[in-house]
Amino acid sequence: MSRIAIILIGINLLLVACTGTSSQVSDPVNPAKEIPLGEKNRPIRIGFSMDTLLEDRWLRDRDLFKEAVEALGAEVEIIAANGDDALQMTQAEKLIQSGIDLLVIVPHNAEATAAIVHKAHRAGIKVIAYDRLVKNADLDMYASFDNEQVGEMQAKAITALVPKGNYVFIGGAITDNNAHLLKKGVFNILRPYIERGDIQIVYDQWTKDWNPVNAKANMEEAIRATNGQIDAVIAANDATAGGVIQALTANGLAGKVPVAGQDADLSGVQRIVAGTQNMTVYKPIHMLTESVAELAVKMAKGEQVSTDRKVYNGKVEVPSKLITPITVNKHNIDRTIISDGFHSYEDVYSSTSE
């Protein structure tokens, strides 16, 4: 065999060997991302960056989302920052670097988390905003409840009870876009009453970090400023309503001043039974978790998804899925949250909260 022929055979063998041992292939979902050949058939991995787990509602979201993702054959890594913007950024970066296929985020700060979306996109990872919108970012998907409608439900319920008088509005966190949507919905309903002079807004304040302690301080300030001349309170959620009712209780006003909340937290529902809170808004979280899990897995696989709504986040029109919430009061607790299995009859009626 000639020397040239031997060299050619050697080159061919080397090429075959190199082809057979290549450890990288293109990711069909994110072509910019390389994945090892041995991981081609691994389960889809979803990262879930949560603002907080300090409220009953978010613990439920975490558990139901995990269950929904795993039921689709995917895996999920969940981490919570408990209201710390810097920590949420660090945690999200770690999820991105760990090789997740898609990121789902509940932003603490609607503006600051735009940087997380940008970092995820640079790594070829799509992002879904869960329940709260990320502002001023090229967000891939937004899924939530109709939060403006939640505020409208609150205001309709309270104006039916108190069509005239002094109103207090205790808002959510100013950094949370949902708090702004909620307030918009509340004032959509209140505005005609205000313009007629039937309702006076005697106090209107945001609640830092949605913290019930801060809500209580706001309500105490409202009571001092009005000398207790308050006829109704709309609170941004059941946690802030809890702080409001503590302040009302201390001033002998609990049960006398109608209070609205939202989220159908167990403590809020118990207060409805006790008569210190008048309504809440039930958001069937299982519907949200199941929808987002399905969207996340499909998008991570590169499959097409479609929605019938878009929400402008200050930069782009974000494809959105918005679920209709449900008003809950003492008359329909049993046929809404209890019949749906959200809370048990025993838990709702066995004890009461402040």
Side-chain angles (χ1 to χ4, degrees), residues 260-297:
Q262 67 134 332
D263 281 342
D265 283 353
L266 179 58
S267 58
V269 177
Q270 289 174 338
R271 288 192 296 267
I272 291 174
V273 171
T276 56
Q277 184 171 325
N278 295 80
M279 65 84 68
T280 187
V281 179
Y282 169 44
K283 300 186 288 191
I285 293 171
H286 68 91
M287 293 177 64
L288 179 61
T289 56
E290 290 167 7
S291 295
V292 176
E294 184 178 354
L295 286 168
V297 172

PDB file of all heavy atoms in Angstrom, residues 260-297:
ATOM      1  N   ALA A 260     -62.859  45.285  52.182  1.00  0.00           N
ATOM      2  CA  ALA A 260     -62.685  44.380  51.037  1.00  0.00           C
ATOM      3  C   ALA A 260     -61.239  43.931  50.953  1.00  0.00           C
ATOM      4  O   ALA A 260     -60.322  44.692  51.265  1.00  0.00           O
ATOM      5  CB  ALA A 260     -63.083  45.083  49.744  1.00  0.00           C
ATOM      6  N   GLY A 261     -61.035  42.691  50.513  1.00  0.00           N
ATOM      7  CA  GLY A 261     -59.694  42.171  50.268  1.00  0.00           C
ATOM      8  C   GLY A 261     -59.691  41.371  48.977  1.00  0.00           C
ATOM      9  O   GLY A 261     -60.623  41.444  48.178  1.00  0.00           O
ATOM     10  N   GLN A 262     -58.652  40.575  48.789  1.00  0.00           N
ATOM     11  CA  GLN A 262     -58.612  39.647  47.650  1.00  0.00           C
ATOM     12  C   GLN A 262     -57.583  38.566  47.912  1.00  0.00           C
ATOM     13  O   GLN A 262     -56.702  38.734  48.752  1.00  0.00           O
ATOM     14  CB  GLN A 262     -58.280  40.386  46.347  1.00  0.00           C
ATOM     15  CG  GLN A 262     -56.888  40.953  46.306  1.00  0.00           C
ATOM     16  CD  GLN A 262     -56.135  40.686  45.005  1.00  0.00           C
ATOM     17  OE1 GLN A 262     -56.382  39.700  44.319  1.00  0.00           O
ATOM     18  NE2 GLN A 262     -55.202  41.557  44.674  1.00  0.00           N
ATOM     19  N   ASP A 263     -57.695  37.464  47.235  1.00  0.00           N
ATOM     20  CA  ASP A 263     -56.826  36.275  47.265  1.00  0.00           C
ATOM     21  C   ASP A 263     -57.495  35.079  47.930  1.00  0.00           C
ATOM     22  O   ASP A 263     -57.031  33.949  47.791  1.00  0.00           O
ATOM     23  CB  ASP A 263     -55.480  36.501  47.961  1.00  0.00           C
ATOM     24  CG  ASP A 263     -54.474  37.219  47.079  1.00  0.00           C
ATOM     25  OD1 ASP A 263     -54.688  37.227  45.846  1.00  0.00           O
ATOM     26  OD2 ASP A 263     -53.498  37.771  47.607  1.00  0.00           O
ATOM     27  N   ALA A 264     -58.565  35.310  48.699  1.00  0.00           N
ATOM     28  CA  ALA A 264     -59.251  34.225  49.407  1.00  0.00           C
ATOM     29  C   ALA A 264     -58.305  33.445  50.307  1.00  0.00           C
ATOM     30  O   ALA A 264     -58.402  32.224  50.428  1.00  0.00           O
ATOM     31  CB  ALA A 264     -59.956  33.284  48.427  1.00  0.00           C
ATOM     32  N   ASP A 265     -57.368  34.163  50.957  1.00  0.00           N
ATOM     33  CA  ASP A 265     -56.528  33.525  51.976  1.00  0.00           C
ATOM     34  C   ASP A 265     -57.422  32.970  53.074  1.00  0.00           C
ATOM     35  O   ASP A 265     -58.488  33.523  53.361  1.00  0.00           O
ATOM     36  CB  ASP A 265     -55.562  34.543  52.593  1.00  0.00           C
ATOM     37  CG  ASP A 265     -54.389  34.861  51.689  1.00  0.00           C
ATOM     38  OD1 ASP A 265     -54.247  34.199  50.641  1.00  0.00           O
ATOM     39  OD2 ASP A 265     -53.626  35.784  52.033  1.00  0.00           O
ATOM     40  N   LEU A 266     -56.964  31.912  53.727  1.00  0.00           N
ATOM     41  CA  LEU A 266     -57.776  31.297  54.779  1.00  0.00           C
ATOM     42  C   LEU A 266     -58.129  32.311  55.862  1.00  0.00           C
ATOM     43  O   LEU A 266     -59.280  32.370  56.322  1.00  0.00           O
ATOM     44  CB  LEU A 266     -57.038  30.103  55.388  1.00  0.00           C
ATOM     45  CG  LEU A 266     -57.777  29.373  56.520  1.00  0.00           C
ATOM     46  CD1 LEU A 266     -59.129  28.852  56.049  1.00  0.00           C
ATOM     47  CD2 LEU A 266     -56.914  28.240  57.058  1.00  0.00           C
ATOM     48  N   SER A 267     -57.159  33.121  56.282  1.00  0.00           N
ATOM     49  CA  SER A 267     -57.430  34.105  57.331  1.00  0.00           C
ATOM     50  C   SER A 267     -58.486  35.111  56.876  1.00  0.00           C
ATOM     51  O   SER A 267     -59.344  35.526  57.663  1.00  0.00           O
ATOM     52  CB  SER A 267     -56.142  34.824  57.729  1.00  0.00           C
ATOM     53  OG  SER A 267     -55.560  35.453  56.597  1.00  0.00           O
ATOM     54  N   GLY A 268     -58.432  35.497  55.599  1.00  0.00           N
ATOM     55  CA  GLY A 268     -59.419  36.432  55.072  1.00  0.00           C
ATOM     56  C   GLY A 268     -60.810  35.831  55.047  1.00  0.00           C
ATOM     57  O   GLY A 268     -61.797  36.485  55.406  1.00  0.00           O
ATOM     58  N   VAL A 269     -60.904  34.580  54.626  1.00  0.00           N
ATOM     59  CA  VAL A 269     -62.202  33.904  54.581  1.00  0.00           C
ATOM     60  C   VAL A 269     -62.754  33.716  55.997  1.00  0.00           C
ATOM     61  O   VAL A 269     -63.956  33.876  56.235  1.00  0.00           O
ATOM     62  CB  VAL A 269     -62.068  32.553  53.850  1.00  0.00           C
ATOM     63  CG1 VAL A 269     -63.382  31.801  53.864  1.00  0.00           C
ATOM     64  CG2 VAL A 269     -61.611  32.777  52.405  1.00  0.00           C
ATOM     65  N   GLN A 270     -61.888  33.400  56.935  1.00  0.00           N
ATOM     66  CA  GLN A 270     -62.323  33.269  58.329  1.00  0.00           C
ATOM     67  C   GLN A 270     -62.837  34.595  58.868  1.00  0.00           C
ATOM     68  O   GLN A 270     -63.798  34.635  59.644  1.00  0.00           O
ATOM     69  CB  GLN A 270     -61.164  32.746  59.186  1.00  0.00           C
ATOM     70  CG  GLN A 270     -60.821  31.287  58.931  1.00  0.00           C
ATOM     71  CD  GLN A 270     -59.593  30.832  59.687  1.00  0.00           C
ATOM     72  OE1 GLN A 270     -58.754  31.654  60.081  1.00  0.00           O
ATOM     73  NE2 GLN A 270     -59.458  29.532  59.890  1.00  0.00           N
ATOM     74  N   ARG A 271     -62.215  35.695  58.451  1.00  0.00           N
ATOM     75  CA  ARG A 271     -62.705  37.012  58.886  1.00  0.00           C
ATOM     76  C   ARG A 271     -64.067  37.318  58.278  1.00  0.00           C
ATOM     77  O   ARG A 271     -64.896  37.996  58.903  1.00  0.00           O
ATOM     78  CB  ARG A 271     -61.681  38.099  58.514  1.00  0.00           C
ATOM     79  CG  ARG A 271     -60.414  38.079  59.359  1.00  0.00           C
ATOM     80  CD  ARG A 271     -59.588  39.343  59.158  1.00  0.00           C
ATOM     81  NE  ARG A 271     -59.081  39.482  57.810  1.00  0.00           N
ATOM     82  CZ  ARG A 271     -57.890  39.051  57.396  1.00  0.00           C
ATOM     83  NH1 ARG A 271     -57.075  38.442  58.247  1.00  0.00           N
ATOM     84  NH2 ARG A 271     -57.501  39.231  56.152  1.00  0.00           N
ATOM     85  N   ILE A 272     -64.311  36.838  57.074  1.00  0.00           N
ATOM     86  CA  ILE A 272     -65.635  37.015  56.474  1.00  0.00           C
ATOM     87  C   ILE A 272     -66.682  36.289  57.312  1.00  0.00           C
ATOM     88  O   ILE A 272     -67.759  36.820  57.595  1.00  0.00           O
ATOM     89  CB  ILE A 272     -65.642  36.520  55.015  1.00  0.00           C
ATOM     90  CG1 ILE A 272     -64.794  37.452  54.139  1.00  0.00           C
ATOM     91  CG2 ILE A 272     -67.074  36.459  54.473  1.00  0.00           C
ATOM     92  CD1 ILE A 272     -64.614  36.977  52.708  1.00  0.00           C
ATOM     93  N   VAL A 273     -66.363  35.074  57.725  1.00  0.00           N
ATOM     94  CA  VAL A 273     -67.271  34.303  58.582  1.00  0.00           C
ATOM     95  C   VAL A 273     -67.489  35.034  59.909  1.00  0.00           C
ATOM     96  O   VAL A 273     -68.610  35.102  60.432  1.00  0.00           O
ATOM     97  CB  VAL A 273     -66.718  32.886  58.834  1.00  0.00           C
ATOM     98  CG1 VAL A 273     -67.539  32.157  59.892  1.00  0.00           C
ATOM     99  CG2 VAL A 273     -66.683  32.091  57.526  1.00  0.00           C
ATOM    100  N   ALA A 274     -66.412  35.618  60.444  1.00  0.00           N
ATOM    101  CA  ALA A 274     -66.494  36.315  61.732  1.00  0.00           C
ATOM    102  C   ALA A 274     -67.184  37.670  61.619  1.00  0.00           C
ATOM    103  O   ALA A 274     -67.614  38.234  62.634  1.00  0.00           O
ATOM    104  CB  ALA A 274     -65.092  36.500  62.306  1.00  0.00           C
ATOM    105  N   GLY A 275     -67.272  38.214  60.393  1.00  0.00           N
ATOM    106  CA  GLY A 275     -67.957  39.485  60.203  1.00  0.00           C
ATOM    107  C   GLY A 275     -67.069  40.707  60.244  1.00  0.00           C
ATOM    108  O   GLY A 275     -67.570  41.838  60.226  1.00  0.00           O
ATOM    109  N   THR A 276     -65.747  40.529  60.282  1.00  0.00           N
ATOM    110  CA  THR A 276     -64.855  41.694  60.306  1.00  0.00           C
ATOM    111  C   THR A 276     -64.351  42.076  58.914  1.00  0.00           C
ATOM    112  O   THR A 276     -63.832  43.171  58.721  1.00  0.00           O
ATOM    113  CB  THR A 276     -63.643  41.447  61.227  1.00  0.00           C
ATOM    114  OG1 THR A 276     -62.965  40.262  60.800  1.00  0.00           O
ATOM    115  CG2 THR A 276     -64.100  41.288  62.680  1.00  0.00           C
ATOM    116  N   GLN A 277     -64.480  41.172  57.953  1.00  0.00           N
ATOM    117  CA  GLN A 277     -64.158  41.459  56.554  1.00  0.00           C
ATOM    118  C   GLN A 277     -65.384  41.087  55.738  1.00  0.00           C
ATOM    119  O   GLN A 277     -66.059  40.098  56.035  1.00  0.00           O
ATOM    120  CB  GLN A 277     -62.929  40.663  56.102  1.00  0.00           C
ATOM    121  CG  GLN A 277     -62.471  40.971  54.675  1.00  0.00           C
ATOM    122  CD  GLN A 277     -61.131  40.332  54.326  1.00  0.00           C
ATOM    123  OE1 GLN A 277     -60.244  40.225  55.173  1.00  0.00           O
ATOM    124  NE2 GLN A 277     -60.967  39.915  53.079  1.00  0.00           N
ATOM    125  N   ASN A 278     -65.688  41.855  54.711  1.00  0.00           N
ATOM    126  CA  ASN A 278     -66.952  41.657  54.001  1.00  0.00           C
ATOM    127  C   ASN A 278     -66.839  40.861  52.714  1.00  0.00           C
ATOM    128  O   ASN A 278     -67.799  40.210  52.307  1.00  0.00           O
ATOM    129  CB  ASN A 278     -67.597  43.008  53.716  1.00  0.00           C
ATOM    130  CG  ASN A 278     -67.995  43.716  54.984  1.00  0.00           C
ATOM    131  OD1 ASN A 278     -67.145  44.318  55.631  1.00  0.00           O
ATOM    132  ND2 ASN A 278     -69.255  43.620  55.370  1.00  0.00           N
ATOM    133  N   MET A 279     -65.697  40.920  52.066  1.00  0.00           N
ATOM    134  CA  MET A 279     -65.551  40.166  50.822  1.00  0.00           C
ATOM    135  C   MET A 279     -64.088  39.938  50.505  1.00  0.00           C
ATOM    136  O   MET A 279     -63.198  40.593  51.049  1.00  0.00           O
ATOM    137  CB  MET A 279     -66.232  40.886  49.654  1.00  0.00           C
ATOM    138  CG  MET A 279     -65.625  42.222  49.257  1.00  0.00           C
ATOM    139  SD  MET A 279     -64.193  42.103  48.101  1.00  0.00           S
ATOM    140  CE  MET A 279     -64.999  41.498  46.622  1.00  0.00           C
ATOM    141  N   THR A 280     -63.862  38.988  49.628  1.00  0.00           N
ATOM    142  CA  THR A 280     -62.546  38.757  49.061  1.00  0.00           C
ATOM    143  C   THR A 280     -62.757  38.377  47.606  1.00  0.00           C
ATOM    144  O   THR A 280     -63.900  38.215  47.155  1.00  0.00           O
ATOM    145  CB  THR A 280     -61.782  37.660  49.819  1.00  0.00           C
ATOM    146  OG1 THR A 280     -60.427  37.591  49.329  1.00  0.00           O
ATOM    147  CG2 THR A 280     -62.419  36.293  49.661  1.00  0.00           C
ATOM    148  N   VAL A 281     -61.698  38.259  46.868  1.00  0.00           N
ATOM    149  CA  VAL A 281     -61.801  37.818  45.474  1.00  0.00           C
ATOM    150  C   VAL A 281     -61.010  36.527  45.335  1.00  0.00           C
ATOM    151  O   VAL A 281     -59.814  36.482  45.631  1.00  0.00           O
ATOM    152  CB  VAL A 281     -61.273  38.883  44.496  1.00  0.00           C
ATOM    153  CG1 VAL A 281     -61.378  38.370  43.061  1.00  0.00           C
ATOM    154  CG2 VAL A 281     -62.055  40.185  44.646  1.00  0.00           C
ATOM    155  N   TYR A 282     -61.715  35.491  44.927  1.00  0.00           N
ATOM    156  CA  TYR A 282     -61.114  34.164  44.764  1.00  0.00           C
ATOM    157  C   TYR A 282     -60.548  34.046  43.357  1.00  0.00           C
ATOM    158  O   TYR A 282     -61.245  34.248  42.374  1.00  0.00           O
ATOM    159  CB  TYR A 282     -62.172  33.099  45.014  1.00  0.00           C
ATOM    160  CG  TYR A 282     -61.784  31.695  44.625  1.00  0.00           C
ATOM    161  CD1 TYR A 282     -60.530  31.170  44.923  1.00  0.00           C
ATOM    162  CD2 TYR A 282     -62.698  30.860  43.970  1.00  0.00           C
ATOM    163  CE1 TYR A 282     -60.192  29.880  44.577  1.00  0.00           C
ATOM    164  CE2 TYR A 282     -62.374  29.555  43.630  1.00  0.00           C
ATOM    165  CZ  TYR A 282     -61.116  29.079  43.924  1.00  0.00           C
ATOM    166  OH  TYR A 282     -60.785  27.786  43.574  1.00  0.00           O
ATOM    167  N   LYS A 283     -59.265  33.736  43.306  1.00  0.00           N
ATOM    168  CA  LYS A 283     -58.598  33.519  42.028  1.00  0.00           C
ATOM    169  C   LYS A 283     -58.222  32.033  41.963  1.00  0.00           C
ATOM    170  O   LYS A 283     -57.327  31.605  42.686  1.00  0.00           O
ATOM    171  CB  LYS A 283     -57.369  34.420  41.923  1.00  0.00           C
ATOM    172  CG  LYS A 283     -57.728  35.895  42.009  1.00  0.00           C
ATOM    173  CD  LYS A 283     -56.558  36.827  41.774  1.00  0.00           C
ATOM    174  CE  LYS A 283     -55.598  36.843  42.909  1.00  0.00           C
ATOM    175  NZ  LYS A 283     -54.597  37.932  42.812  1.00  0.00           N
ATOM    176  N   PRO A 284     -58.945  31.251  41.161  1.00  0.00           N
ATOM    177  CA  PRO A 284     -58.692  29.797  41.110  1.00  0.00           C
ATOM    178  C   PRO A 284     -57.251  29.512  40.672  1.00  0.00           C
ATOM    179  O   PRO A 284     -56.950  29.394  39.489  1.00  0.00           O
ATOM    180  CB  PRO A 284     -59.712  29.287  40.084  1.00  0.00           C
ATOM    181  CG  PRO A 284     -60.745  30.365  39.997  1.00  0.00           C
ATOM    182  CD  PRO A 284     -60.015  31.647  40.249  1.00  0.00           C
ATOM    183  N   ILE A 285     -56.366  29.407  41.646  1.00  0.00           N
ATOM    184  CA  ILE A 285     -54.934  29.312  41.365  1.00  0.00           C
ATOM    185  C   ILE A 285     -54.598  28.064  40.559  1.00  0.00           C
ATOM    186  O   ILE A 285     -53.682  28.087  39.725  1.00  0.00           O
ATOM    187  CB  ILE A 285     -54.141  29.362  42.683  1.00  0.00           C
ATOM    188  CG1 ILE A 285     -54.292  30.753  43.315  1.00  0.00           C
ATOM    189  CG2 ILE A 285     -52.661  29.071  42.457  1.00  0.00           C
ATOM    190  CD1 ILE A 285     -53.728  30.866  44.708  1.00  0.00           C
ATOM    191  N   HIS A 286     -55.350  26.991  40.769  1.00  0.00           N
ATOM    192  CA  HIS A 286     -55.048  25.765  40.016  1.00  0.00           C
ATOM    193  C   HIS A 286     -55.188  26.005  38.518  1.00  0.00           C
ATOM    194  O   HIS A 286     -54.457  25.415  37.705  1.00  0.00           O
ATOM    195  CB  HIS A 286     -55.949  24.611  40.483  1.00  0.00           C
ATOM    196  CG  HIS A 286     -57.401  24.784  40.136  1.00  0.00           C
ATOM    197  ND1 HIS A 286     -57.933  24.312  38.970  1.00  0.00           N
ATOM    198  CD2 HIS A 286     -58.418  25.386  40.803  1.00  0.00           C
ATOM    199  CE1 HIS A 286     -59.227  24.606  38.926  1.00  0.00           C
ATOM    200  NE2 HIS A 286     -59.533  25.263  40.022  1.00  0.00           N
ATOM    201  N   MET A 287     -56.107  26.890  38.127  1.00  0.00           N
ATOM    202  CA  MET A 287     -56.270  27.200  36.709  1.00  0.00           C
ATOM    203  C   MET A 287     -55.039  27.942  36.180  1.00  0.00           C
ATOM    204  O   MET A 287     -54.579  27.691  35.058  1.00  0.00           O
ATOM    205  CB  MET A 287     -57.523  28.042  36.492  1.00  0.00           C
ATOM    206  CG  MET A 287     -58.823  27.315  36.793  1.00  0.00           C
ATOM    207  SD  MET A 287     -60.279  28.383  36.618  1.00  0.00           S
ATOM    208  CE  MET A 287     -60.218  28.760  34.870  1.00  0.00           C
ATOM    209  N   LEU A 288     -54.499  28.838  37.004  1.00  0.00           N
ATOM    210  CA  LEU A 288     -53.305  29.581  36.596  1.00  0.00           C
ATOM    211  C   LEU A 288     -52.084  28.671  36.533  1.00  0.00           C
ATOM    212  O   LEU A 288     -51.325  28.694  35.547  1.00  0.00           O
ATOM    213  CB  LEU A 288     -53.053  30.731  37.573  1.00  0.00           C
ATOM    214  CG  LEU A 288     -51.817  31.602  37.299  1.00  0.00           C
ATOM    215  CD1 LEU A 288     -51.915  32.272  35.936  1.00  0.00           C
ATOM    216  CD2 LEU A 288     -51.646  32.647  38.396  1.00  0.00           C
ATOM    217  N   THR A 289     -51.872  27.864  37.563  1.00  0.00           N
ATOM    218  CA  THR A 289     -50.691  26.998  37.590  1.00  0.00           C
ATOM    219  C   THR A 289     -50.706  25.988  36.445  1.00  0.00           C
ATOM    220  O   THR A 289     -49.684  25.741  35.803  1.00  0.00           O
ATOM    221  CB  THR A 289     -50.575  26.258  38.931  1.00  0.00           C
ATOM    222  OG1 THR A 289     -51.779  25.514  39.192  1.00  0.00           O
ATOM    223  CG2 THR A 289     -50.337  27.227  40.074  1.00  0.00           C
ATOM    224  N   GLU A 290     -51.879  25.428  36.182  1.00  0.00           N
ATOM    225  CA  GLU A 290     -51.982  24.448  35.093  1.00  0.00           C
ATOM    226  C   GLU A 290     -51.740  25.101  33.739  1.00  0.00           C
ATOM    227  O   GLU A 290     -51.062  24.537  32.870  1.00  0.00           O
ATOM    228  CB  GLU A 290     -53.348  23.770  35.140  1.00  0.00           C
ATOM    229  CG  GLU A 290     -53.519  22.826  36.330  1.00  0.00           C
ATOM    230  CD  GLU A 290     -54.960  22.404  36.551  1.00  0.00           C
ATOM    231  OE1 GLU A 290     -55.817  22.730  35.693  1.00  0.00           O
ATOM    232  OE2 GLU A 290     -55.238  21.763  37.593  1.00  0.00           O
ATOM    233  N   SER A 291     -52.286  26.314  33.555  1.00  0.00           N
ATOM    234  CA  SER A 291     -52.086  27.030  32.288  1.00  0.00           C
ATOM    235  C   SER A 291     -50.623  27.376  32.070  1.00  0.00           C
ATOM    236  O   SER A 291     -50.079  27.177  30.979  1.00  0.00           O
ATOM    237  CB  SER A 291     -52.927  28.310  32.271  1.00  0.00           C
ATOM    238  OG  SER A 291     -54.305  28.020  32.281  1.00  0.00           O
ATOM    239  N   VAL A 292     -49.973  27.900  33.108  1.00  0.00           N
ATOM    240  CA  VAL A 292     -48.571  28.305  32.968  1.00  0.00           C
ATOM    241  C   VAL A 292     -47.672  27.092  32.777  1.00  0.00           C
ATOM    242  O   VAL A 292     -46.727  27.125  31.982  1.00  0.00           O
ATOM    243  CB  VAL A 292     -48.115  29.140  34.176  1.00  0.00           C
ATOM    244  CG1 VAL A 292     -46.634  29.471  34.069  1.00  0.00           C
ATOM    245  CG2 VAL A 292     -48.921  30.431  34.263  1.00  0.00           C
ATOM    246  N   ALA A 293     -47.953  26.014  33.491  1.00  0.00           N
ATOM    247  CA  ALA A 293     -47.157  24.800  33.320  1.00  0.00           C
ATOM    248  C   ALA A 293     -47.232  24.303  31.879  1.00  0.00           C
ATOM    249  O   ALA A 293     -46.210  23.958  31.267  1.00  0.00           O
ATOM    250  CB  ALA A 293     -47.641  23.717  34.280  1.00  0.00           C
ATOM    251  N   GLU A 294     -48.434  24.299  31.320  1.00  0.00           N
ATOM    252  CA  GLU A 294     -48.609  23.844  29.937  1.00  0.00           C
ATOM    253  C   GLU A 294     -47.897  24.767  28.961  1.00  0.00           C
ATOM    254  O   GLU A 294     -47.199  24.310  28.040  1.00  0.00           O
ATOM    255  CB  GLU A 294     -50.103  23.775  29.605  1.00  0.00           C
ATOM    256  CG  GLU A 294     -50.394  23.229  28.214  1.00  0.00           C
ATOM    257  CD  GLU A 294     -51.872  23.110  27.918  1.00  0.00           C
ATOM    258  OE1 GLU A 294     -52.696  23.348  28.831  1.00  0.00           O
ATOM    259  OE2 GLU A 294     -52.216  22.781  26.768  1.00  0.00           O
ATOM    260  N   LEU A 295     -48.043  26.075  29.163  1.00  0.00           N
ATOM    261  CA  LEU A 295     -47.361  27.040  28.302  1.00  0.00           C
ATOM    262  C   LEU A 295     -45.843  26.886  28.399  1.00  0.00           C
ATOM    263  O   LEU A 295     -45.139  26.893  27.384  1.00  0.00           O
ATOM    264  CB  LEU A 295     -47.753  28.457  28.708  1.00  0.00           C
ATOM    265  CG  LEU A 295     -49.155  28.942  28.338  1.00  0.00           C
ATOM    266  CD1 LEU A 295     -49.470  30.245  29.070  1.00  0.00           C
ATOM    267  CD2 LEU A 295     -49.290  29.134  26.831  1.00  0.00           C
ATOM    268  N   ALA A 296     -45.344  26.738  29.627  1.00  0.00           N
ATOM    269  CA  ALA A 296     -43.900  26.664  29.847  1.00  0.00           C
ATOM    270  C   ALA A 296     -43.289  25.453  29.154  1.00  0.00           C
ATOM    271  O   ALA A 296     -42.256  25.558  28.484  1.00  0.00           O
ATOM    272  CB  ALA A 296     -43.612  26.620  31.347  1.00  0.00           C
ATOM    273  N   VAL A 297     -43.918  24.311  29.307  1.00  0.00           N
ATOM    274  CA  VAL A 297     -43.375  23.085  28.716  1.00  0.00           C
ATOM    275  C   VAL A 297     -43.427  23.153  27.191  1.00  0.00           C
ATOM    276  O   VAL A 297     -42.465  22.795  26.500  1.00  0.00           O
ATOM    277  CB  VAL A 297     -44.115  21.848  29.251  1.00  0.00           C
ATOM    278  CG1 VAL A 297     -43.681  20.593  28.503  1.00  0.00           C
ATOM    279  CG2 VAL A 297     -43.852  21.682  30.754  1.00  0.00           C
TER     280      VAL A 297
END
